[in-house]
Structure formats: C-alpha cells, structure tokens
Amino acid sequence: MASETYLDFCFIQEPTGTLTEFVNRNFQELFKFERRLHWHLEKKMEHGAEIVVAEVKGMSRWASSEDIVEFLEAHAEDQFWKTLQGYQFKVYPVSKGCIPNGR
C-alpha cells in the first residue's frame, strides 16, 4: 500500500564543496526502488560549515516513520550518519480511495 511521504533532512560538514553531490548520490541509491519520491536540495554556507537541507516528498511503500528509520539504519552508509544532523518524517498511509488516514 502506498503512503504520502514527506522527509526533511539536514546535513552538515566542514566545507569541502562536495556535500550536495554526496547527498544526491546517496538519495539516488537509497530511494532507487521508491520511484515516486522526488527531492530538492538546498545548499548553504554558514558559520564555517557546509549545510544541505533536503526535502523529499512523494509516494512510498513505508507505513510509518519507524519504517523509514529502520530502512535507513539498514541501508545508509556511515558517512550519511556522520553528516546527518537532523530529520523529520511524516507518513500518511492511504487506507481506501484517495483519502489519507489521519488527516
């Protein structure tokens, strides 16, 4: 069953100019089977740090935030976790028709 999925991530590292490319490459690998997920990356430089804010949205097979965390723990590489500084997930499973649960 598909769920409306909204994922927000914040990645931070010392400035190298490679964080946006790293995040994009990781998302391509992590979400390659979730063909209806799309993301937007915003790069910032603040206080001597390279910051990438990522917004992922679309339809996925996950039914809860816990499902996403379990998936990431099993599939994301170490550098993903080293640069990840925050996240927020919202998942709205669709029960029948086009009306999501909990809205």
Side-chain angles (χ1 to χ4, degrees):
M1 179 169 20
S3 300
E4 285 185 62
T5 306
Y6 301 90
L7 314 175
D8 296 312
F9 298 91
C10 180
F11 298 91
I12 301 174
Q13 72 176 16
E14 291 184 19
T16 62
T18 62
L19 187 57
T20 303
E21 181 181 322
F22 170 78
V23 171
N24 190 55
R25 191 173 58 247
N26 269 262
F27 283 179
Q28 287 174 348
E29 186 62 28
L30 286 168
F31 304 138
K32 66 184 173 188
F33 297 113
E34 298 297 333
R35 300 189 189 267
R36 295 191 293 169
L37 285 179
H38 306 281
W39 55 88
H40 172 75
L41 307 178
E42 182 181 335
K43 179 181 177 179
K44 301 177 184 181
M45 295 292 284
E46 289 186 20
H47 307 290
E50 185 174 359
I51 303 167
V52 172
V53 176
E55 180 181 281
V56 181
K57 60 184 174 179
M59 300 299 286
S60 74
R61 59 188 162 94
W62 297 303
S64 69
S65 297
E66 292 80 16
D67 289 348
I68 299 166
V69 171
E70 287 177 18
F71 173 81
L72 291 173
E73 286 176 344
H75 295 93
E77 61 182 72
D78 288 342
Q79 190 63 29
F80 179 92
W81 296 108
K82 288 178 184 174
T83 58
L84 181 64
Q85 298 300 307
Y87 65 87
Q88 176 178 307
F89 303 148
K90 293 182 181 176
V91 179
Y92 302 101
V94 176
S95 57
K96 291 183 179 180
C98 296
I99 302 170
N101 266 342
R103 278 209 178 165

